[in-house]
Amino acid sequence: MTVAPRQHGLGANHDLDLRTQEHYEWLAAEADKNLDRLEAQDPVNDTTLDEVLKRRGISRRDFLKMSAVMTATLGLPPMFDLRVARAQEVATRIPVIWQELQSCSGNSMALIRNANPGTDELLLDLISLEYAEILMAPSGQAAEDVLAASIEKYDGAYIAVFEGSVPVGDDGNFLTIGPAGETGVEKVEHIAKHAAAVIAAGSCSAYGGIPAARPNPTTAMGVGDFLASRGISKPVVNLPACPVSSTNVVGTILEYAMFGRLPSLDAYGRPLWAYQDRIHDKCERRGHFDAGEFVEGWTDIEGLKEGLCLFKVGCKGPMAYNNCGVVRYNEGASWPIMSGHGCIGCSEPGFWDTLTPFEVPLAGRLYSTPFGTDANADTIGTAVLGAAAAGVAIHAGATAIKAATEKRYEGQEKE
Amino acid sequence: MTTDTTRMRRTPVKSAVVLEREGRPKMVVYVFGAFVRASHWIRNALLIWLVLSGIYIANPFLARVIGSDTSSNFILAQVRGWHVAAGWLLLAFTLGRIYQFLFINREGKLGLGAELRMAPILFDLKAWRDQLKFYLLMSKEHPHLTYSNYGPLQYLVYTALYAALLIISVTGILLAAPYLSSGIAVWSAELLRPIEVAVGGLANVRMLHHVTMWFFILFTLVHIYMAVWNSMRTGNLLVEGIISGFAAKDMPGAREATPEDLDKPAAKAEKEG
C-alpha cells in the first residue's frame, strides 16, 4: 500500500489495494465529476478568476505554476495540476462563513498578510467569504444581518470556519459577540448546525489552545469537542498550528472543492496530507539529531552557527505533527527551526500545557509537588529513590538490632 | 550466608535435601526452572540497558565533535535503535510471562492460570496482617502461605510491575513508530493509537514512558533489598535460588499447617475468595 491512497482514500468502501495508478485515475474521475457539478451551479460570487489574475498582475502561466505547487503540497501527482487550477476557478461557488471566537485573530492575519500573491491569497479573493469580521466592511447590526442572511441563503451548503476556542464556562458569557450579545456557544451551535462542514482553523479552535491552558479560566474547548459535547454531528477538520499556515486552510478548501468532501484525517482530526509526518521527520537539521550533534545552550554560538539540532534547547519536533518544514511561513521564506529556535509543538493537542517547557527537552517538564516547589520527573524520582534508600537503611539497621536481641533472648532461654 | 548454621543431610524425599537451621527443618526444593532463571537475568540486563540508553535519549549527554566520527556513526540513532530492539525483547518476555500467569494451570497445562487463582490473597486480611507484621519485625515467623506462592504485598507489587511493563511497552511502541516507515511497530502503533489519543497526544505518551522508568528503578532497589533480607532472615535461600534454582521451604508437617491446606490449595482459595 502506498501513502497516497491513505491520504486521499474515501474510507472503508473504497478498495485500498488498488494499484496506485488506477487509484489516481479513479480519484481524477471523481474530481472531474464533482468539479462539473460545481460548475453547473450559479456562482455565489461575482468575481471571476480572470478578473482576479488581471488585478493582481498574475499571468495564466504563473497561475498554473502556483497550482502545480499546491497540487504537490496536497500530495497529488501532476495529473491533478489542471484540476487544482479548475478547483480555484469554481471556488466562487463555495460559500464560506468565518467566525471569530475566543481568538487573537492570528490565523486570519496569517492568511491575509502574505508577502506575495500566491494560491492562498488568490483563493481568498475567489471563495465567497460571506462573513468574516476581520475582513468585512459592515459592523454591528449590519454585520449580524449579513450573517443571518447568509446562513438562511446557503443553509446546509456553506463551510463554517471557526477561529478561536469556545469558552463554555459561566454559560458561555466569557465571550459575547455583536449588538445582541450572543455568546460564543450560541454562535457556534447556530452556525455549525446549518453548515455543510466545519473547519477549525488554528490550535485554539482545534483543541482549545492557549485559552485552554491550565487553569483554563473560561473552560475553553476546541470546536470539534464542543460540537461533540452538544450532540451536533458535522464533519469537522482540525487545522491546528499557531497560526495555521494559510496553505493548509486553502488546501483543505480546495480539496473540498475538488472532491466534495473533507480530506482523510488522522486520529486527532487533522488532514493527513498536511499532518502525516512530524516536524522531526521533515526537519533540515535531522541529520545532526541522529549524529548526536546538538546546540548545547543559547550561548553555544558555534553550534548555532553550524545549524546543529535544537533538541537540547527544547525543540518539540519529535512530538509534533505538521508540515511547517515543507510549506514554511510567509510565502515559504522561513519557519521557526530555520530561524534557529526549536519547534514548540503548537499544532499538538494539549498545547500549551503538554509541550512546555519550551527551552529544555520534554523530560524537564515541571510537576507541582507537595513541598511548594515544582520539580521535573527526574528530580522527583531521585528524591523518592533517596527516601527509599533511607528506608532500606533504617529497616536493615532495625533488623540487625532485632536479630541481635533475638539471639540474646534465645541464649538466655537455653541457660 | 547461612552455611555456618546449616547442616545438610539426605532424606527419603526424592530430589530434596533437608536443612536444619537453628533447629527448624527446611526442605530444599527446585523452585525456579531454567527458563525462569534465564529470563530473570536477561530481563534484568535488558532493563539496565533500557534505563541507561533511555536516559541518554531523553537528554543526549555525549559530547559532540563536529566533523568527527560521531557524524558518520550516528550515535543517537544507534542508541535509539538498540533501545527499541531491547524493548521488543523485553515485551516478548513480558507477554510470555503474562500468558503463563493467565493460562497455565497447576499441572502446567492450558487452563485458568494457577497464579491467577492466587489472586484472593490480595483480599486475605489475615495474610496482609501476617506479612506486614513479619516485615515490620513484629514477628520472626515467615507467614505460612497455603494457597498462594506470593504474599499479598508481593502479589500486588508484581501485578503493578507487569502493568508498568505493559505501559512502558505500549508507550515505547507509540514513540518508536513515527521513526519507521513500515513494520511491526507501525501497524501495532496504529492499533494502539486510541491509547495515544486518550492520554492526550505524543508529548504525554513521552512523559508517561519517562515516569514509568522511575517505577523500575525504585522497584529494583526495593526488590533486591527484600530478596536479600528475606533470604537472610528466614534462611530460605531465595537469592541463591534465582541462580541455582533451589530454595528452602518449610517442611510439611513441621508447622501448624493442616494437611488439608497442602492437599487442596485451590479449593481453599476458592472458598476464601
Side-chain angles (χ1 to χ4, degrees), chain B residues 19-265:
Chain B
L19 292 179
E20 267 182 50
R21 188 181 179 221
E22 294 170 6
R24 287 180 300 175
K26 281 183 181 292
M27 184 172 64
V28 174
V29 285
Y30 191 60
V31 287
F32 297 127
F35 177 76
V36 170
R37 280 176 287 145
S39 78
H40 176 271
W41 292 111
I42 291 170
R43 287 189 288 176
N44 176 28
L46 287 175
L47 277 171
I48 290 172
W49 162 249
L50 283 163
V51 167
L52 292 178
S53 58
I55 286 170
Y56 172 70
I57 293 168
N59 201 349
F61 47 79
L62 295 179
R64 72 157 198 259
V65 189
I66 296 164
S68 75
D69 286 348
T70 29
S71 49
S72 54
N73 282 339
F74 292 107
I75 176 73
L76 194 131
Q78 293 266 358
V79 171
R80 173 183 293 278
W82 287 108
H83 181 85
V84 173
W88 280 113
L89 201 53
L90 183 66
L91 178 59
F93 277 112
T94 305
L95 292 179
R97 188 68 183 79
I98 289 173
Y99 173 82
Q100 187 189 14
F101 174 86
L102 292 176
F103 299 119
I104 302 297
N105 63 17
R106 289 190 82 82
E107 286 79 41
K109 297 202 178 99
L110 210 56
L112 189 63
E115 287 166 313
L116 184 61
R117 295 174 77 123
M118 296 168 192
I121 192 80
L122 283 174
F123 310 100
D124 189 334
L125 283 179
K126 186 181 178 300
W128 272 107
R129 213 163 36 235
D130 288 352
Q131 187 162 37
L132 289 178
K133 266 168 108 177
F134 177 59
Y135 284 137
L136 293 174
L137 308 171
M138 290 155 74
S139 144
K140 189 153 194 257
E141 302 301 315
H142 189 279
H144 185 64
L145 302 166
T146 50
Y147 60 92
S148 172
N149 291 356
Y150 308 98
L153 194 62
Q154 264 179 311
Y155 201 96
L156 187 70
V157 172
Y158 284 126
T159 310
L161 176 70
Y162 281 88
L165 280 166
L166 284 180
I167 290 170
I168 210 155
S169 301
V170 165
T171 52
I173 289 169
L174 287 169
L175 288 167
Y179 284 93
L180 305 160
S181 55
S182 61
I184 182 171
V186 172
W187 62 255
S188 45
E190 282 303 315
L191 294 175
L192 297 169
R193 195 73 66 204
I195 297 175
E196 184 191 311
V197 176
V199 301
L202 207 54
N204 280 356
V205 171
R206 165 77 191 79
M207 282 318 292
L208 202 52
H209 196 72
H210 193 99
V211 170
T212 313
M213 172 192 77
W214 277 102
F215 175 85
F216 292 100
I217 296 174
L218 281 169
F219 172 84
T220 307
L221 172 76
V222 176
H223 173 71
I224 293 172
Y225 176 69
M226 292 289 233
V228 171
W229 184 86
N230 244 301
S231 209
M232 289 175 75
R233 183 106 175 121
T234 66
N236 61 7
L237 306 182
L238 211 60
V239 174
E240 291 88 338
I242 199 63
I243 298 167
S244 69
F246 292 93
K249 280 198 163 182
D250 299 323
M251 278 287 275
R255 299 237 160 249
E256 294 169 5
T258 61
E260 190 195 351
D261 292 336
L262 297 161
D263 291 343
K264 293 170 189 166

Side-chain angles (χ1 to χ4, degrees), chain A residues 268 278 280 286 289-291 293-294 300 302 308 312 354 362 365 367 378 381 392 395-396 399 402 406, chain B residues 60 64 71 74-77 135 137 140 178-179 193 196 201 203-204 206-207 210 214 218 225 229 233:
Chain A
Y268 305 98
R278 294 174 302 170
H280 196 48
R286 174 62 184 273
F289 174 85
D290 287 335
E293 295 171 344
F294 298 95
D300 180 10
E302 188 199 18
L308 300 183
K312 286 178 83 170
T354 65
L362 200 61
R365 186 196 283 179
Y367 296 92
D378 291 339
V392 160
H395 193 258
T399 311
K402 181 85 178 168
E406 276 166 3
Chain B
R64 72 157 198 259
S71 49
F74 292 107
I75 176 73
L76 194 131
Y135 284 137
L137 308 171
K140 189 153 194 257
Y179 284 93
R193 195 73 66 204
E196 184 191 311
N204 280 356
R206 165 77 191 79
M207 282 318 292
H210 193 99
W214 277 102
L218 281 169
Y225 176 69
W229 184 86
R233 183 106 175 121

Side-chain angles (χ1 to χ4, degrees), chain A residues 5-26:
Chain A
R6 199 176 140 224
Q7 282 178 348
H8 297 284
L10 278 186
N13 293 334
H14 178 58
D15 180 11
L16 287 176
D17 288 335
L18 281 178
R19 280 183 291 121
T20 313
Q21 182 64 28
E22 274 178 24
H23 177 84
Y24 281 130
E25 277 165 13
W26 170 84

